Amino acid sequence: MAIKQKLVFRFPPSVVEQPFIYRLVRDFDLMVNILRADINPDKEGRLMLELSGSEPDYRRAIEWLKQQGVRILNLKQQITWNEDRCTHCGACSVICPSGALELSRPAMTVTFDESKCIVCELCLKACPARAMKTLLEQAR
Amino acid sequence: MGIERTYEEINHKIRSGKAVILTAEEVLDLIAGEGAAGAAKKVDVVTTGTFGPMCSSGVFLNFGHPKPRIKMSEVYLNGVPAYAGIAAVDVYLGATALPPGDPRNRNHPGEFRYGGGHVIEELVAGEEIRLEAHSYGTDCYPLKKIETAFRLSEINEAVLYNPRNAYQNYNVAVNLGQKTIYTYMGILKPNLGNANYSSAGQLSPLLNDPLLKTIGMGTRIFLGGGVGYVTWHGTQHNPSVERGENGVPKTPAGTLAVAGDLKQMQRRWLRGLSMLGYGVTLQVGLGIPIPILNEEIMSYCAVRDEEIFAPVVDYSRVYPYREAGNLGLVSYAELRSGAVTIKNRQVPTASLSSYAGAREIARTLKEWISAGKFTLTRPAAPLPSVEAGIQLQALPQRNPDEGGF
Ligand code: SF4
Ligand code: SF4
C-alpha cells in the first residue's frame, strides 16, 4: 500500500544539523517533496514536506524520526481560519499561492481548504481582520 | 402616467405590514422581467448595503466626571490616543489612531496590530477599556491624572461620527512598479500582480441613487448594525465628475457623513482592521433604504455591476505623486469575476470590501422594514449634487512666511 502524507517536522536545536532528508530517501526509500523550511525565533527548525512511499517504510521512518527527537505534526492543522473574524472581503484570495483561501462565486464568501495549504504564512499579515493564525500563535 | 408615491404612503404601508421591499440585488430580476416601470408599481423600497474599510470614522465619547473633576487634555484608550481638545470629559477617538509606541513603518511593512479601529470594535463588544487621562488642573477641575477602566454601558454618550463613508465608486488599485507595495488598498504585487477594488457595486448605497434624489440630510440608515442617520455630505464629496448615461460616476464621487448611537451597534459590523504597511482602520457596515417614489428612482436602482465602471489607477507612481491619467475603466462585473484585462493582461482581482457583508446588510435592512421596526425619513435638506458645481481642491503649497497681502 502506497502512502502520501503532508507533514511538519519540528527539530530541536540539538538535531537541526543532521541529514534527515538524505536518510529518509536512502534508508527508507521514500520520496520527499519539500514545501517549506525555516528556523523559528526559538531556534527550532521547521520543515514542511510531503512524504510518499510504501506504508511499512513510511511507518518505520516515522518511528526512527521520533527516536531522533523530531516532533511530527500534521500539516493540515498548522494554519487556522477564524471564521468569526473573517469578513469575507476576499483580500487574501490573491495573496494565497496554493488556492487554499478562495472566494466562491456567486456566494462571494471565502472558504479555507486546509488540505491545499502549504503553510507559507503569507495570509497571516495580509488579512486585514487578522482572521488567519498559526498554531504557534494560538498556543501563546 | 407612471406611479407616484410619497414618503407618508410608503411609511403607512410599512406600518401596516403591506410594503414590498427588495434588496438592490433582488430587484434586478424583477426589472429584467417587467422593466423599471413595472417594477416601480410593485416595489415600495429597495435596500442597499456596503461593508468596507472606511478610515474617516470615529467616535465621540463623554465619560462623565470622576471625583474630583478633571479637564482631560491628554487621553489614551487602551493606549491609543484620543483627541481631547474639546470639553473637559469629551473626546474623539479616530479609527486610524495608533499608540505612541507602535513601531509604525520603521520595519517596513509595519504590522499595525492595534489602534483606534480595534478600540472601537472592543467598545461596541462591551469589553472593558483602559482609560488614562492627564490634565494641568484648574480651580474648577482639580484632578491631574486618572487611570481607570470602563465599559460602553458605563459612560454617558458614545456616538459613532464618521465624516466620510460610503464612497460612491472607487479606484481599482494596481502596481506597475517592480516591487510589492503596501497601501490602503491592500497588498499590491509588482508588475500588475493583482488589482484590488473596494465597492459593493450594484448593492452600494450611492450607486443606487447616483444623483442623490432620495438620500439627504437626516436619512435614516443601517449603521454598524444599528440605526444611524446621514448628517451631512461627506468630506471630499465630489459629485461633478464624469458620469455615464445612467448617471453613475466613472470615478470616486459622492460621500456621506453619518452618525449613530454606538450603544446599539454590533461588533459584527464595526471591525478594527490592520492594513499591512499602511495602518489601522475600521470596517463599517452601512445600508440605506431607497424609497421608490416614482419610476425614475427605480430606474436608478436597476443599475447592474456590468454598467458600473471604475478607473484602474497605478499606486506605485500615479496615485502617490498625483500624476495624471489612469489605465482605463473596468466594470464591477469583470472585477467580481476574479480577473480583469489590463494592458492586454489577465490580472487577478480582490476586494477589500465584503460583497457577502453588503448583501447581508441589505437583507437585514429589508427585514427591519418588513417587520415595521424601521420607517423611512424624508431628508431635511438635499445634499449637494451635480448642479452644485463642487470642485475638489488640492492643498496650497506656498511659503507661509511670505504674506499674501
Ligand atoms: S482577508 Fe481575512 S477577512 Fe478577508 S476574506 Fe480573507 S480571511 Fe477573511
Ligand atoms: S499559509 Fe499560505 S497557503 Fe496556507 S492559507 Fe495562508 S496563504 Fe494560503
Side-chain angles (χ1 to χ4, degrees):
Chain A
M1 256 281 279
I3 193 164
K4 196 177 203 179
Q5 278 290 347
K6 280 189 187 167
L7 298 168
V8 182
F9 294 171
R10 306 247 295 259
F11 307 95
S14 56
V15 302
V16 161
E17 314 268 300
Q18 292 190 43
F20 286 103
I21 302 301
Y22 172 70
R23 295 284 304 271
L24 286 175
V25 176
R26 194 194 64 181
D27 299 351
F28 299 94
D29 205 17
L30 296 176
M31 280 200 353
V32 181
N33 180 16
I34 297 177
L35 301 169
R36 184 164 173 232
D38 60 22
I39 293 184
N40 74 19
D42 303 333
K43 293 270 180 332
E44 185 193 54
R46 210 166 52 144
L47 194 60
M48 283 153 248
L49 75 188
E50 190 175 64
L51 284 187
S52 45
S54 84
E55 189 161 347
D57 285 338
Y58 174 81
R59 301 250 168 261
R60 277 197 308 125
I62 298 293
E63 235 1 83
W64 172 75
L65 285 164
K66 284 184 181 162
Q67 282 165 13
Q68 307 301 309
V70 179
R71 288 179 57 206
I72 301 170
L73 302 154
N74 196 331
L75 184 98
K76 260 193 174 177
Q77 296 140 8
Q78 292 303 296
I79 299 282
T80 58
W81 174 52
N82 181 348
E83 201 173 346
D84 276 351
R85 272 217 73 74
C86 175
T87 66
H88 297 281
C89 63
C92 52
S93 63
V94 286
I95 300 298
C96 175
S98 70
L101 281 164
E102 247 180 353
L103 191 66
S104 36
R105 299 180 172 78
M108 300 303 281
T109 50
V110 164
T111 53
F112 175 53
D113 179 351
E114 45 176 26
S115 69
K116 288 189 187 162
C117 174
I118 57 165
V119 199
C120 70
E121 299 187 350
L122 286 174
C123 54
L124 301 183
K125 293 177 187 169
C127 166
R130 296 289 196 266
M132 307 302 294
K133 293 266 184 271
T134 61
L135 212 58
L136 225 61
E137 271 181 297
Q138 298 231 307
R140 274 188 188 144
Chain B
M1 256 302 276
I3 182 104
E4 295 284 338
R5 280 188 196 90
T6 63
Y7 283 89
E8 291 70 24
E9 283 163 0
I10 294 172
N11 282 336
H12 183 73
K13 282 175 100 173
I14 292 171
R15 283 192 203 98
S16 52
K18 292 196 188 114
V20 177
I21 306 127
L22 291 181
T23 71
E25 204 176 34
E26 292 164 345
V27 80
L28 296 176
D29 284 340
L30 184 68
I31 295 170
E34 315 202 358
K41 284 205 186 85
K42 292 193 173 160
V43 179
D44 302 292
V45 182
V46 169
T47 59
T48 64
T50 184
F51 185 35
M54 306 190 195
C55 286
S56 212
S57 300
V59 283
F60 280 108
L61 303 173
N62 175 285
F63 300 116
H65 270 282
K67 191 174 170 182
R69 294 176 191 269
I70 184 169
K71 179 184 184 320
M72 298 178 176
S73 53
E74 198 186 324
V75 172
Y76 300 93
L77 295 161
N78 283 353
V80 179
Y83 179 74
I86 37 181
V89 290
D90 282 344
V91 298
Y92 184 76
L93 173 67
T96 70
L98 293 170
D102 186 281
R104 268 84 174 163
N105 261 339
R106 276 199 285 282
N107 192 357
H108 189 261
E111 287 192 46
F112 301 98
R113 289 175 182 217
Y114 194 82
H118 299 96
V119 179
I120 294 170
E121 179 184 331
E122 287 170 15
L123 256 175
V124 175
E127 291 179 14
E128 199 164 80
I129 307 289
R130 283 178 68 97
L131 165 66
E132 180 188 330
H134 301 266
S135 176
Y136 45 80
T138 70
D139 290 341
C140 46
Y141 294 126
L143 196 64
K144 289 193 175 158
K145 181 171 185 196
I146 184 165
E147 271 182 272
T148 179
F150 70 94
R151 292 179 200 277
L152 185 60
S153 59
E154 297 169 317
I155 60 171
N156 289 325
E157 282 88 17
V159 182
L160 188 74
Y161 190 99
N162 304 345
R164 181 172 71 252
N165 278 181
Y167 239 119
Q168 187 179 33
N169 208 349
Y170 209 75
N171 294 339
V172 178
V174 297
N175 176 4
L176 292 180
Q178 303 302 307
K179 59 180 210 303
T180 299
I181 57 173
Y182 301 86
T183 74
Y184 69 87
M185 290 295 287
I187 302 171
L188 301 174
K189 297 192 268 186
N191 301 310
L192 282 174
N194 57 304
N196 282 10
Y197 63 100
S198 191
S199 168
Q202 63 193 14
L203 265 173
S204 174
L206 294 187
L207 291 172
N208 280 281
D209 183 9
L211 301 170
L212 305 170
K213 301 223 169 186
T214 70
I215 300 170
M217 287 228 309
T219 297
R220 188 179 294 132
I221 63 173
F222 172 110
L223 181 61
V227 172
Y229 293 86
V230 173
T231 57
W232 202 254
H233 58 274
T235 52
Q236 283 176 34
H237 181 66
N238 189 20
S240 304
V241 301
E242 193 188 340
R243 288 170 189 263
E245 272 172 36
N246 50 6
V248 172
K250 294 182 175 172
T251 56
T255 65
L256 298 177
V258 297
D261 180 3
L262 193 74
K263 292 190 180 184
Q264 38 98 57
M265 295 186 190
Q266 299 164 25
R267 168 177 231 164
R268 174 143 174 42
W269 302 113
L270 289 175
R271 282 297 178 81
L273 301 181
S274 302
M275 305 295 298
L276 191 63
Y278 178 72
V280 163
T281 186
L282 187 71
Q283 185 162 356
V284 179
L286 193 156
I288 304 187
I290 297 181
I292 304 303
L293 302 174
N294 52 49
E295 189 184 318
E296 182 195 353
I297 303 295
M298 182 56 105
S299 72
Y300 296 124
C301 293
V303 75
R304 291 174 175 273
D305 279 342
E306 290 80 350
E307 302 154 343
I308 309 172
F309 295 89
V312 180
V313 176
D314 168 40
Y315 273 62
S316 72
R317 175 102 217 144
V318 172
Y319 182 84
Y321 296 99
R322 293 203 74 144
E323 291 176 0
N326 62 49
L327 299 160
L329 300 176
V330 290
S331 78
Y332 281 94
E334 292 171 85
L335 287 165
R336 241 177 272 294
S337 77
V340 286
T341 310
I342 303 167
K343 290 185 145 197
N344 293 320
R345 278 191 30 208
Q346 282 285 99
V347 181
T349 58
S351 175
L352 292 173
S353 99
S354 167
Y355 192 79
R359 195 182 262 157
E360 199 182 324
I361 289 167
R363 283 191 190 145
T364 305
L365 191 48
K366 171 180 160 172
E367 278 164 27
W368 288 356
I369 301 170
S370 303
K373 286 197 286 190
F374 187 111
T375 54
L376 307 198
T377 45
R378 176 202 299 278
L383 300 177
S385 188
V386 181
E387 61 285 349
I390 293 173
Q391 291 290 321
L392 268 202
Q393 315 252 31
L395 182 66
Q397 285 166 291
R398 58 175 171 254
N399 185 344
D401 297 329
E402 279 170 20
F405 298 101

